[in-house]
Amino acid sequence: MRCLGGFPPHRDRIPVPNPSPKPPVRRGRRPGRPLAIVAVLVVLALAAGWLWHRHQAAAAQGGYRTEAVQRSDIRVAISSTGTLSAISTVTVGSQISGQVTDVLVDFNSHVKKGDVLARIDPSTYEAQLEQGNAQIASARASLRNAQAGLKNAELDYQRKADLGRQQLVAKSDVDLARAALDQARAQVNSAQASINQQTASLKNTQVNIDRAVIRSPVDGVVLTRSIEPGQTVAASLQAPELFTIAEDLSKMQIELAVDESDIGQVKAGQAVSFSADAFPDRQFKGVVEQVRLAATTANNVVTYPVIVTVDNGDGTLLPGLTVNAEIEVNKRANVLKLGNAALRFKPSEGSPLADLQPADPGRQSQSGNRGAGNANMAGDLQDLAATLGLNDAQKAAFDAALEPMQQRQAERAAQQGQGTQSTQQQGGSRLFGGGPRFGGQGGTPDAGMQAQMRSRMRDRFNQQFAAFTATLDDAQKTKWNAAMEAQLNAKRVTIYKLANGKPEAVMVRLGSSDGSSTEVSGPDIAEGDEVITGEKSSAEAK
């Protein structure tokens, strides 16, 4: 039986042998997977190491924010505003009244001394001049008439005097002749005086005619012109201002108003830098010329005028410009400086830093300095002496005065035992202050104790260096005394730095400050030291 389509039934199909089956493929691990796993493990190990290192660093810092001590320059400047003006400004006026006929100069005109600036109609004064000439002529005629009368009186008196001696005329006639002679002489003198008076009046009229021509009294530039041709000038009570002339604009000045709190730092010769809104891309230079004593008070604020001279050789600066100036009162080059945040930092109550006290100058601190307090002072004195230009005898006297200090330094450096521990237990240095015994916060002595310490140190230094200062001249002695006072009066504060990963309280001496950073010096502070500026919160520490 066949199926439809001609195909044999299933049972009639011829069996076809099955092909040999393929061997099963074994799925093993890929060759790159072990490397990836190793790389992941390495990354995890590195991350764990970094986290551990960060944790250790945070633990070493104890959860503090720090700032590094830098070595740089510090520039201390006082800011003020002022107005530019010519050093010498002349106001040209008129001493006579009249109508202006000519104006020969304009604004910004360059004039020389004696140049004609304007003319005033002199007709009135010319008429007075003619009248004066006529009066002089009349007075001269009167003089000649008086002189003739005098001559006649003299002859009459001579005749009557001769007759009187011969007793030919009465004595009264002789007296009358003498009186007439005296009257004639008086008339001559009066006529002469009238001539002199008219001559003087004529000279005054001539001066007024000359004043009708307005001339420049100086060489300079016309800044302002207040008249026009045809304008009438009235000079009855005061001279009207016609022109303003700046004598020399190549040299100008600025009048700054400096606050009373800053005026003590301003001295003649200090450098000044300033800018003007008209030239925003330029910085100009000047020098303090004068600190005037004429203080002014406005809104309970006292200011003093400070005059600054400026070189304007290129003619860029213009009179009247408002400038913003900075007076450089101090500049310290290549000094250690620290941000003011570190100087203001005070440990909170319960902080581990609150129990730290500044190192004593005679003991060895954690940073490794030993006996550095006296060493620092001795070094400062040696640097000061190097600037005085000492001769051999003065150098020998200085070395002899400094030797006891150096000996004390060596003795304190050798102390490592009981004396050091005793001093440390007492709470810090007596020289620099510290500890509860001084009554200050953070190891800083109060004002009264600081004043007492400065007084004792001043007396000790004066006694120790008395023989040396006696060899100095006046200039050297002034410089030495000023530097010593600066050393003694320098403010000292306690700061907290990290030494070998541990916080340490040290005393530093403050110097110049530019408002954001302050110069610091001391035996236990160096460039790169990390100084604590604040304590991190728990979130920051994590």
PDB file of all heavy atoms in Angstrom, residues 146-168:
ATOM      1  N   ALA A 146      55.376 182.378  43.281  1.00  0.00           N
ATOM      2  CA  ALA A 146      55.808 182.468  44.682  1.00  0.00           C
ATOM      3  C   ALA A 146      57.296 182.783  44.777  1.00  0.00           C
ATOM      4  O   ALA A 146      57.732 183.514  45.680  1.00  0.00           O
ATOM      5  CB  ALA A 146      55.480 181.171  45.392  1.00  0.00           C
ATOM      6  N   GLN A 147      58.073 182.220  43.872  1.00  0.00           N
ATOM      7  CA  GLN A 147      59.511 182.495  43.881  1.00  0.00           C
ATOM      8  C   GLN A 147      59.770 183.976  43.578  1.00  0.00           C
ATOM      9  O   GLN A 147      60.677 184.595  44.165  1.00  0.00           O
ATOM     10  CB  GLN A 147      60.212 181.598  42.871  1.00  0.00           C
ATOM     11  CG  GLN A 147      60.272 180.137  43.296  1.00  0.00           C
ATOM     12  CD  GLN A 147      60.852 179.244  42.220  1.00  0.00           C
ATOM     13  OE1 GLN A 147      60.916 179.653  41.037  1.00  0.00           O
ATOM     14  NE2 GLN A 147      61.235 178.022  42.600  1.00  0.00           N
ATOM     15  N   ALA A 148      58.999 184.562  42.650  1.00  0.00           N
ATOM     16  CA  ALA A 148      59.147 185.999  42.349  1.00  0.00           C
ATOM     17  C   ALA A 148      58.789 186.849  43.558  1.00  0.00           C
ATOM     18  O   ALA A 148      59.460 187.849  43.886  1.00  0.00           O
ATOM     19  CB  ALA A 148      58.266 186.380  41.154  1.00  0.00           C
ATOM     20  N   GLY A 149      57.683 186.491  44.232  1.00  0.00           N
ATOM     21  CA  GLY A 149      57.303 187.242  45.427  1.00  0.00           C
ATOM     22  C   GLY A 149      58.359 187.120  46.502  1.00  0.00           C
ATOM     23  O   GLY A 149      58.610 188.059  47.259  1.00  0.00           O
ATOM     24  N   LEU A 150      58.986 185.930  46.615  1.00  0.00           N
ATOM     25  CA  LEU A 150      60.042 185.742  47.610  1.00  0.00           C
ATOM     26  C   LEU A 150      61.237 186.629  47.320  1.00  0.00           C
ATOM     27  O   LEU A 150      61.820 187.234  48.236  1.00  0.00           O
ATOM     28  CB  LEU A 150      60.457 184.263  47.634  1.00  0.00           C
ATOM     29  CG  LEU A 150      61.631 183.896  48.540  1.00  0.00           C
ATOM     30  CD1 LEU A 150      61.320 184.236  49.996  1.00  0.00           C
ATOM     31  CD2 LEU A 150      61.983 182.420  48.391  1.00  0.00           C
ATOM     32  N   LYS A 151      61.592 186.756  46.030  1.00  0.00           N
ATOM     33  CA  LYS A 151      62.751 187.592  45.691  1.00  0.00           C
ATOM     34  C   LYS A 151      62.482 189.040  46.028  1.00  0.00           C
ATOM     35  O   LYS A 151      63.348 189.757  46.555  1.00  0.00           O
ATOM     36  CB  LYS A 151      63.050 187.433  44.209  1.00  0.00           C
ATOM     37  CG  LYS A 151      64.319 188.134  43.783  1.00  0.00           C
ATOM     38  CD  LYS A 151      64.642 187.838  42.317  1.00  0.00           C
ATOM     39  CE  LYS A 151      65.939 188.518  41.917  1.00  0.00           C
ATOM     40  NZ  LYS A 151      66.274 188.259  40.491  1.00  0.00           N
ATOM     41  N   ASN A 152      61.273 189.514  45.747  1.00  0.00           N
ATOM     42  CA  ASN A 152      60.920 190.905  46.061  1.00  0.00           C
ATOM     43  C   ASN A 152      60.910 191.118  47.563  1.00  0.00           C
ATOM     44  O   ASN A 152      61.356 192.158  48.072  1.00  0.00           O
ATOM     45  CB  ASN A 152      59.546 191.230  45.463  1.00  0.00           C
ATOM     46  CG  ASN A 152      59.164 192.680  45.680  1.00  0.00           C
ATOM     47  OD1 ASN A 152      59.987 193.607  45.532  1.00  0.00           O
ATOM     48  ND2 ASN A 152      57.902 192.922  46.071  1.00  0.00           N
ATOM     49  N   ALA A 153      60.402 190.148  48.316  1.00  0.00           N
ATOM     50  CA  ALA A 153      60.372 190.287  49.771  1.00  0.00           C
ATOM     51  C   ALA A 153      61.778 190.336  50.354  1.00  0.00           C
ATOM     52  O   ALA A 153      62.036 191.047  51.330  1.00  0.00           O
ATOM     53  CB  ALA A 153      59.565 189.146  50.378  1.00  0.00           C
ATOM     54  N   GLU A 154      62.694 189.548  49.767  1.00  0.00           N
ATOM     55  CA  GLU A 154      64.070 189.568  50.259  1.00  0.00           C
ATOM     56  C   GLU A 154      64.709 190.936  50.034  1.00  0.00           C
ATOM     57  O   GLU A 154      65.412 191.462  50.912  1.00  0.00           O
ATOM     58  CB  GLU A 154      64.872 188.472  49.551  1.00  0.00           C
ATOM     59  CG  GLU A 154      64.508 187.047  49.994  1.00  0.00           C
ATOM     60  CD  GLU A 154      65.272 186.010  49.197  1.00  0.00           C
ATOM     61  OE1 GLU A 154      65.882 186.394  48.175  1.00  0.00           O
ATOM     62  OE2 GLU A 154      65.237 184.819  49.580  1.00  0.00           O
ATOM     63  N   LEU A 155      64.493 191.560  48.865  1.00  0.00           N
ATOM     64  CA  LEU A 155      65.074 192.885  48.580  1.00  0.00           C
ATOM     65  C   LEU A 155      64.487 193.949  49.484  1.00  0.00           C
ATOM     66  O   LEU A 155      65.206 194.840  49.991  1.00  0.00           O
ATOM     67  CB  LEU A 155      64.833 193.238  47.113  1.00  0.00           C
ATOM     68  CG  LEU A 155      65.571 192.353  46.091  1.00  0.00           C
ATOM     69  CD1 LEU A 155      65.158 192.716  44.672  1.00  0.00           C
ATOM     70  CD2 LEU A 155      67.075 192.454  46.262  1.00  0.00           C
ATOM     71  N   ASP A 156      63.182 193.885  49.715  1.00  0.00           N
ATOM     72  CA  ASP A 156      62.539 194.875  50.573  1.00  0.00           C
ATOM     73  C   ASP A 156      63.060 194.781  51.992  1.00  0.00           C
ATOM     74  O   ASP A 156      63.292 195.794  52.668  1.00  0.00           O
ATOM     75  CB  ASP A 156      61.026 194.676  50.513  1.00  0.00           C
ATOM     76  CG  ASP A 156      60.269 195.716  51.321  1.00  0.00           C
ATOM     77  OD1 ASP A 156      60.379 196.907  50.984  1.00  0.00           O
ATOM     78  OD2 ASP A 156      59.595 195.318  52.306  1.00  0.00           O
ATOM     79  N   TYR A 157      63.237 193.536  52.427  1.00  0.00           N
ATOM     80  CA  TYR A 157      63.741 193.375  53.783  1.00  0.00           C
ATOM     81  C   TYR A 157      65.170 193.880  53.911  1.00  0.00           C
ATOM     82  O   TYR A 157      65.532 194.503  54.916  1.00  0.00           O
ATOM     83  CB  TYR A 157      63.659 191.910  54.196  1.00  0.00           C
ATOM     84  CG  TYR A 157      64.301 191.633  55.527  1.00  0.00           C
ATOM     85  CD1 TYR A 157      63.699 192.048  56.719  1.00  0.00           C
ATOM     86  CD2 TYR A 157      65.539 190.967  55.606  1.00  0.00           C
ATOM     87  CE1 TYR A 157      64.311 191.812  57.933  1.00  0.00           C
ATOM     88  CE2 TYR A 157      66.152 190.732  56.827  1.00  0.00           C
ATOM     89  CZ  TYR A 157      65.529 191.150  57.982  1.00  0.00           C
ATOM     90  OH  TYR A 157      66.145 190.937  59.190  1.00  0.00           O
ATOM     91  N   GLN A 158      66.004 193.679  52.913  1.00  0.00           N
ATOM     92  CA  GLN A 158      67.396 194.133  52.970  1.00  0.00           C
ATOM     93  C   GLN A 158      67.443 195.659  53.069  1.00  0.00           C
ATOM     94  O   GLN A 158      68.212 196.229  53.846  1.00  0.00           O
ATOM     95  CB  GLN A 158      68.165 193.633  51.747  1.00  0.00           C
ATOM     96  CG  GLN A 158      68.449 192.154  51.739  1.00  0.00           C
ATOM     97  CD  GLN A 158      69.400 191.736  52.862  1.00  0.00           C
ATOM     98  OE1 GLN A 158      70.197 192.568  53.368  1.00  0.00           O
ATOM     99  NE2 GLN A 158      69.290 190.474  53.279  1.00  0.00           N
ATOM    100  N   ARG A 159      66.600 196.334  52.245  1.00  0.00           N
ATOM    101  CA  ARG A 159      66.609 197.803  52.280  1.00  0.00           C
ATOM    102  C   ARG A 159      66.179 198.338  53.634  1.00  0.00           C
ATOM    103  O   ARG A 159      66.822 199.209  54.216  1.00  0.00           O
ATOM    104  CB  ARG A 159      65.686 198.349  51.194  1.00  0.00           C
ATOM    105  CG  ARG A 159      66.250 198.213  49.780  1.00  0.00           C
ATOM    106  CD  ARG A 159      65.423 199.022  48.791  1.00  0.00           C
ATOM    107  NE  ARG A 159      64.039 198.581  48.709  1.00  0.00           N
ATOM    108  CZ  ARG A 159      63.587 197.666  47.880  1.00  0.00           C
ATOM    109  NH1 ARG A 159      64.437 197.084  47.022  1.00  0.00           N
ATOM    110  NH2 ARG A 159      62.307 197.341  47.876  1.00  0.00           N
ATOM    111  N   LYS A 160      65.074 197.805  54.138  1.00  0.00           N
ATOM    112  CA  LYS A 160      64.567 198.313  55.415  1.00  0.00           C
ATOM    113  C   LYS A 160      65.475 197.938  56.574  1.00  0.00           C
ATOM    114  O   LYS A 160      65.582 198.678  57.563  1.00  0.00           O
ATOM    115  CB  LYS A 160      63.167 197.799  55.657  1.00  0.00           C
ATOM    116  CG  LYS A 160      62.146 198.432  54.704  1.00  0.00           C
ATOM    117  CD  LYS A 160      60.752 197.935  54.993  1.00  0.00           C
ATOM    118  CE  LYS A 160      59.736 198.631  54.048  1.00  0.00           C
ATOM    119  NZ  LYS A 160      58.368 198.186  54.273  1.00  0.00           N
ATOM    120  N   ALA A 161      66.167 196.812  56.451  1.00  0.00           N
ATOM    121  CA  ALA A 161      67.092 196.457  57.524  1.00  0.00           C
ATOM    122  C   ALA A 161      68.269 197.423  57.551  1.00  0.00           C
ATOM    123  O   ALA A 161      68.718 197.837  58.633  1.00  0.00           O
ATOM    124  CB  ALA A 161      67.584 195.017  57.324  1.00  0.00           C
ATOM    125  N   ASP A 162      68.785 197.828  56.378  1.00  0.00           N
ATOM    126  CA  ASP A 162      69.887 198.789  56.341  1.00  0.00           C
ATOM    127  C   ASP A 162      69.458 200.137  56.899  1.00  0.00           C
ATOM    128  O   ASP A 162      70.178 200.785  57.673  1.00  0.00           O
ATOM    129  CB  ASP A 162      70.369 198.951  54.902  1.00  0.00           C
ATOM    130  CG  ASP A 162      71.056 197.683  54.385  1.00  0.00           C
ATOM    131  OD1 ASP A 162      71.473 196.838  55.238  1.00  0.00           O
ATOM    132  OD2 ASP A 162      71.145 197.482  53.153  1.00  0.00           O
ATOM    133  N   LEU A 163      68.251 200.580  56.509  1.00  0.00           N
ATOM    134  CA  LEU A 163      67.756 201.859  57.013  1.00  0.00           C
ATOM    135  C   LEU A 163      67.495 201.783  58.516  1.00  0.00           C
ATOM    136  O   LEU A 163      67.663 202.778  59.241  1.00  0.00           O
ATOM    137  CB  LEU A 163      66.466 202.239  56.277  1.00  0.00           C
ATOM    138  CG  LEU A 163      66.633 202.567  54.775  1.00  0.00           C
ATOM    139  CD1 LEU A 163      65.287 202.804  54.131  1.00  0.00           C
ATOM    140  CD2 LEU A 163      67.545 203.775  54.587  1.00  0.00           C
ATOM    141  N   GLY A 164      67.059 200.656  58.962  1.00  0.00           N
ATOM    142  CA  GLY A 164      66.796 200.511  60.388  1.00  0.00           C
ATOM    143  C   GLY A 164      68.079 200.612  61.194  1.00  0.00           C
ATOM    144  O   GLY A 164      68.072 201.142  62.306  1.00  0.00           O
ATOM    145  N   ARG A 165      69.163 200.017  60.691  1.00  0.00           N
ATOM    146  CA  ARG A 165      70.433 200.132  61.408  1.00  0.00           C
ATOM    147  C   ARG A 165      70.903 201.600  61.476  1.00  0.00           C
ATOM    148  O   ARG A 165      71.594 201.974  62.402  1.00  0.00           O
ATOM    149  CB  ARG A 165      71.488 199.258  60.731  1.00  0.00           C
ATOM    150  CG  ARG A 165      71.301 197.795  61.030  1.00  0.00           C
ATOM    151  CD  ARG A 165      72.504 196.998  60.549  1.00  0.00           C
ATOM    152  NE  ARG A 165      72.611 197.012  59.105  1.00  0.00           N
ATOM    153  CZ  ARG A 165      72.062 196.120  58.298  1.00  0.00           C
ATOM    154  NH1 ARG A 165      71.300 195.124  58.804  1.00  0.00           N
ATOM    155  NH2 ARG A 165      72.235 196.205  56.998  1.00  0.00           N
ATOM    156  N   GLN A 166      70.493 202.409  60.477  1.00  0.00           N
ATOM    157  CA  GLN A 166      70.846 203.843  60.476  1.00  0.00           C
ATOM    158  C   GLN A 166      69.769 204.670  61.180  1.00  0.00           C
ATOM    159  O   GLN A 166      69.865 205.913  61.212  1.00  0.00           O
ATOM    160  CB  GLN A 166      70.994 204.335  59.027  1.00  0.00           C
ATOM    161  CG  GLN A 166      72.109 203.639  58.254  1.00  0.00           C
ATOM    162  CD  GLN A 166      72.157 204.084  56.798  1.00  0.00           C
ATOM    163  OE1 GLN A 166      71.457 205.038  56.404  1.00  0.00           O
ATOM    164  NE2 GLN A 166      72.997 203.407  56.005  1.00  0.00           N
ATOM    165  N   GLN A 167      68.765 203.982  61.675  1.00  0.00           N
ATOM    166  CA  GLN A 167      67.655 204.605  62.379  1.00  0.00           C
ATOM    167  C   GLN A 167      66.938 205.630  61.514  1.00  0.00           C
ATOM    168  O   GLN A 167      66.477 206.700  61.942  1.00  0.00           O
ATOM    169  CB  GLN A 167      68.142 205.293  63.687  1.00  0.00           C
ATOM    170  CG  GLN A 167      68.716 204.295  64.664  1.00  0.00           C
ATOM    171  CD  GLN A 167      69.135 204.972  65.964  1.00  0.00           C
ATOM    172  OE1 GLN A 167      69.092 206.247  66.101  1.00  0.00           O
ATOM    173  NE2 GLN A 167      69.559 204.157  66.928  1.00  0.00           N
ATOM    174  N   LEU A 168      66.803 205.245  60.207  1.00  0.00           N
ATOM    175  CA  LEU A 168      66.079 206.119  59.278  1.00  0.00           C
ATOM    176  C   LEU A 168      64.631 205.693  59.117  1.00  0.00           C
ATOM    177  O   LEU A 168      63.816 206.450  58.573  1.00  0.00           O
ATOM    178  CB  LEU A 168      66.766 206.114  57.917  1.00  0.00           C
ATOM    179  CG  LEU A 168      68.190 206.683  57.917  1.00  0.00           C
ATOM    180  CD1 LEU A 168      68.806 206.568  56.532  1.00  0.00           C
ATOM    181  CD2 LEU A 168      68.193 208.148  58.385  1.00  0.00           C
TER     182      LEU A 168
END
